[in-house]
Amino acid sequence: MSTTATTPGSTTPGPTPPGSTPPGPTIADPGPLGLAAFAATTFVLSVFNAGLITDPRLSTVVLPMALFYGGLAQLLAGMWEFRKGNTFGATAFCSYAAFWLAYAAYARFVAGSLPLSTAHQATGLFLLVWAIFTVYMTVAATRTTGAILAVLVTLSATFIVLCIGAFAQSADVTKAGGWLGLVTAVCAWYASFAGVTNATYRRSVVPVFPNVGKHLLPHRGHHHGGPVAGAHT
């Protein structure tokens, strides 16, 4: 059985050169899935943080979202980003999937057993480490697209404000963080919408502003590859 490969500039398969590896199967972009999962779960939690729904008994609706959509679905998206060679997407999706899984475990099994007088410190610390991670991912996002950068900028602000609200035990600051979370969710939904629409139409229909990084960071020559070169649009 002979193997074939597509020759440059043509759409018809040609013979695979001796000693070369046949091309692998095409993998769909997992970015829109990961962004949609992140957006939906962030939106649901932020509704409660912003005080739009005030019955605390209803907040348990966040847990299944965090486990299966924000957690499992986003983790799968991250694994496929590894397969596509996208370091930025893999790191982001796998990490935020872990955030949602950790949040579900913290809310369900840990928070209720913490001392009431100091529980806010544990919550603040939990949010602080994610704020740090998100801030440096925002720096990397300047080399992706404006749509992705908007998600990371608003998410950084969300984590920082929620962290301050937790340490200060301020309901008003936490509500502000909730509203920022809603903005973050909308940005992530937009990026997901753009990704799935552009991929389906096979052309740029919804803008993602791919050159935004050129206006934010000095250009230091052309580099091929690298940790964010394959970031999805």
Side-chain angles (χ1 to χ4, degrees), residues 109-179:
F109 302 111
V110 178
S113 62
L114 296 176
L116 292 178
S117 60
T118 55
H120 66 283
Q121 297 177 8
T123 301
L125 179 61
F126 181 83
L127 294 168
L128 176 61
V129 296
W130 288 104
I132 294 171
F133 171 75
T134 304
V135 167
Y136 76 69
M137 288 298 287
T138 302
V139 176
T142 58
R143 293 297 302 274
T144 60
T145 67
I148 298 300
L149 180 60
V151 177
L152 271 297
V153 168
T154 53
L155 182 59
S156 293
T158 300
F159 274 127
I160 291 170
V161 172
L162 288 176
C163 177
I164 294 172
F167 277 122
Q169 302 184 73
S170 171
D172 290 337
V173 175
T174 297
K175 284 184 178 180
W179 282 103

Side-chain angles (χ1 to χ4, degrees), residues 35-53 61-62 65 69 100 155 158 178-189:
L35 287 163
F38 177 81
T41 315
T42 300
F43 181 85
V44 173
L45 176 60
S46 296
V47 164
F48 292 95
N49 285 338
L52 298 179
I53 297 179
V61 71
V62 179
M65 290 286 294
Y69 203 21
W100 286 116
L155 182 59
T158 300
W179 282 103
L180 285 170
L182 292 173
V183 175
T184 301
V186 171
C187 290
W189 262 323

Side-chain angles (χ1 to χ4, degrees), residues 63-136:
L63 298 184
M65 290 286 294
L67 286 171
F68 295 104
Y69 203 21
L72 179 58
Q74 199 172 182
L75 179 62
L76 292 173
M79 290 295 101
W80 283 111
E81 291 284 20
F82 274 118
R83 177 64 179 82
K84 289 177 68 69
N86 182 0
T87 302
F88 179 89
T91 303
F93 287 140
C94 289
S95 295
Y96 291 121
F99 164 79
W100 286 116
L101 293 170
Y103 169 82
Y106 179 75
R108 179 66 178 84
F109 302 111
V110 178
S113 62
L114 296 176
L116 292 178
S117 60
T118 55
H120 66 283
Q121 297 177 8
T123 301
L125 179 61
F126 181 83
L127 294 168
L128 176 61
V129 296
W130 288 104
I132 294 171
F133 171 75
T134 304
V135 167
Y136 76 69

